[in-house]
Amino acid sequence: MSSLREQRWKVTERRTHEQARLTSLTKGSWVLQVIHRTPDGDDYLSLLALRNSPACEKAAGESN
C-alpha cells in the first residue's frame, strides 16, 4: 500500500470483514480495489481496477 500511496494513489475507503480486508484507492478517473483474503488460512490478494470516465460510461451504455 505504501508504494501505491507514493505513486499518488489516494486511499478512499477501508473495510474489514471476518476473513477479508478491502482498501479502495483512487487516482484520476481510476479506482483500484485491493482485497486481501484469508479463506481457510490461505492468503491471497485480489486487485480490481475500474475506470470511471465519460468515454467508459458511453461504452457501457452502448453495450446494453
Side-chain angles (χ1 to χ4, degrees):
M1 287 300 169
S2 60
S3 63
L4 288 170
R5 287 190 302 240
E6 288 171 7
Q7 296 177 29
R8 298 184 184 195
W9 285 88
K10 180 182 176 185
V11 175
T12 56
E13 180 180 12
R14 291 181 195 263
R15 285 189 275 168
T16 302
H17 299 282
E18 188 173 311
Q19 293 184 327
R21 287 189 307 268
L22 167 78
T23 303
S24 295
L25 304 103
T26 59
K27 182 177 180 182
S29 61
W30 285 94
V31 175
L32 179 64
Q33 292 186 336
V34 181
I35 305 161
H36 179 233
R37 295 184 183 160
T38 56
D40 303 326
D42 296 327
D43 285 347
Y44 67 95
L45 189 68
S46 300
L47 299 174
L48 176 63
L50 307 167
R51 185 159 187 208
N52 185 13
S53 68
C56 292
E57 292 296 322
K58 181 180 177 190
E62 292 173 354
S63 68
N64 291 330

